Amino acid sequence: MDALSFLRADHQSVLGMFEVLDGAPKGTGATESGLATMVTNLVIAESQHEAIEEQFFWPAVRKALDNGDELADRAIGQEQEGKKLLQRLEDSKPGEVDYHDALAEFIKAGREHIAFEQDQVWPLFAAAVGKAELEQLGEKLETAKKVAPTRPHPDTPPNPMVQKTMGTGAAVIDHVRDAVSGRAGENPPDPQAH
Ligand SMILES: [Fe+2]
Ligand SMILES: [Fe+2]
């Protein structure tokens, strides 16, 4: 699958989660346990998505476009802020003020980040690289996502080498922790391409 179709499928899936989570009630009991599962799915999907963009997509943008560094730096700045919000969700629980604050902030910032990528970066990138390169990049993203970290790791530097090496180590630990905690069973299904 070409890189942009692959990333778009992730975005559609995350935007769908935002739709459900937007204005989620701050109730108790069953409502909160349903909310926690949905938010865990969001944290997993976003952690994997941003990790593979940082491993492969942003380096390709830097290479392909004259203003690639500027676009990549801006996007990665947004991703780092996003990871801090996801970490706040990991560190708190439904019903706690910080949990709901971080969720609301993440939904707003996440929509803006996706719009920035799709509206400002993708058209330039698509015009600058050929179909074959988009396909190749798509395959790399698809392979990397299978072993990508499932937690945000806001303190891991977002540069591609660190993400590929230290990031992979973190991913192994994440997957072990997921299996032990039963969190693996909550993994969101891979989105279907549209
Ligand atoms: Fe991103
Ligand atoms: Fe993205």
Side-chain angles (χ1 to χ4, degrees), residues 26 85 88-89 96-106:
K26 299 173 189 178
L85 292 168
R88 278 169 59 192
L89 286 167
E96 294 176 10
V97 172
D98 196 54
Y99 187 90
H100 297 280
D101 285 353
L103 182 58
E105 272 183 61
F106 187 80

Side-chain angles (χ1 to χ4, degrees), residues 35-81:
L35 179 62
T37 301
M38 240 186 292
V39 168
T40 298
N41 283 340
L42 177 68
V43 171
I44 293 170
E46 272 293 320
S47 299
Q48 294 184 322
H49 178 82
E50 305 304 0
I52 62 173
E53 284 182 342
E54 286 166 17
Q55 288 171 16
F56 295 105
F57 183 68
W58 296 120
V61 168
R62 289 184 194 281
K63 214 171 109 194
L65 297 172
D66 286 343
N67 64 339
D69 283 336
E70 193 189 310
L71 293 170
D73 289 344
R74 191 164 152 203
I76 289 170
Q78 294 170 348
E79 289 167 5
Q80 284 301 98
E81 289 307 309

Side-chain angles (χ1 to χ4, degrees), residues 25-36:
K26 299 173 189 178
T28 51
T31 320
E32 286 189 355
S33 102
L35 179 62

Side-chain angles (χ1 to χ4, degrees), residues 4 16 23 27 29 31 47 53 90 115 135-136 148 166 175:
L4 298 182
T31 320
S47 299
E53 284 182 342
E90 287 277 276
E135 285 291 332
Q136 255 181 2
M166 198 161 104
H175 287 283

Side-chain angles (χ1 to χ4, degrees), residues 9 94 102 120 188:
Q120 299 196 46

Side-chain angles (χ1 to χ4, degrees), residues 6 10 37 77 87 95 110:
F6 184 77
D10 274 3
T37 301
Q87 189 60 48

